[in-house]
């Protein structure tokens, strides 16, 4: 079963934890630093990194739909 990354940019504080933790899945907007999801359905070998990025998000802007 695959997971899907959900990002709520309205609550993102631009800490960059997600992009640092999983740069293959996340980036930051050049305009305001908020999260950009590069790949919303990670490959199976990227799911652990996606879960870590969600856990490290200080504003709870990220979630996973399973």
């Amino acid at each position: 079963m695959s997971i899907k990354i959900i990002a709520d940019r309205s609550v993102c504080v631009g800490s960059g934890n997600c992009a640092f933790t999983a740069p293959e899945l996340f980036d930051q907007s050049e305009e305001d630093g908020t999260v950009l999801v590069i790949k919303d359905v990670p490959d199976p070998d990227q799911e652990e990194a996606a879960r870590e990025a969600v856990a490290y998000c200080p504003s709870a802007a990220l979630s996973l739909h399973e």
Side-chain angles (χ1 to χ4, degrees):
M1 173 154 62
S2 63
I3 61 174
K4 182 173 182 172
I5 299 167
I6 308 296
D8 183 348
R9 295 182 68 193
S10 70
V11 299
C12 177
V13 296
S15 72
N17 289 355
C18 56
F20 180 75
T21 303
E24 67 279 6
L25 301 174
F26 303 97
D27 199 356
Q28 288 181 273
S29 166
E30 290 185 20
E31 294 175 8
D32 61 7
T34 58
V35 63
L36 297 174
V37 179
I38 298 170
K39 188 172 184 181
D40 65 344
V41 178
D43 294 334
D45 64 329
Q46 297 170 323
E47 287 185 11
E48 174 83 19
R51 291 182 194 285
E52 287 178 11
V54 169
Y56 296 152
C57 181
S59 64
L62 300 174
S63 61
L64 298 175
H65 180 73
E66 306 209 31

